Amino acid sequence: MQNQLIAFEGFDRVLNYGLDRLRCPSPVGVDRRIRLTQKVASIEHINATMFRVVLDSAIWIEDEDKPAIIASLIAQLHAAPDTT
């Protein structure tokens, strides 16, 4: 679902660095519809070719008040070194 919300363009590699503060407050039943919401929480410039992006993410169940999953997704973006 994330690929439908955000695209990291202009990078050679995008690595899934992991999840932080993962919580599962509500189970998802069979045949239930879900949706993903995300917002950029932070962008950290690691070095000349690397960035770390944290996305606050939640998976919501249709017609439910509580999300199924809440987590911070961490991605590490690597750009090609500038050789010009």
Side-chain angles (χ1 to χ4, degrees), residues 9-62:
E9 296 178 353
F11 293 94
D12 285 350
R13 291 176 286 152
V14 178
L15 302 175
N16 178 354
Y17 199 73
L19 296 171
D20 197 14
R21 298 187 315 264
L22 173 66
R23 298 182 305 282
C24 302
S26 188
V28 178
V30 174
D31 294 330
R32 297 298 306 269
R33 292 171 43 103
I34 59 172
R35 65 182 167 89
L36 172 66
T37 59
Q38 289 186 310
K39 71 174 184 175
V40 177
S42 66
I43 300 173
E44 181 182 358
H45 189 211
I46 305 296
N47 62 38
T49 62
M50 188 177 359
F51 297 85
R52 187 169 299 144
V53 177
V54 177
L55 301 170
D56 285 342
S57 308
I59 295 179
W60 296 87
I61 307 165
E62 187 175 50

Side-chain angles (χ1 to χ4, degrees), residues 3 20 23 54 63 77 80 82:
N3 293 339
D20 197 14
R23 298 182 305 282
V54 177
D63 299 326
L77 313 175
D82 187 13

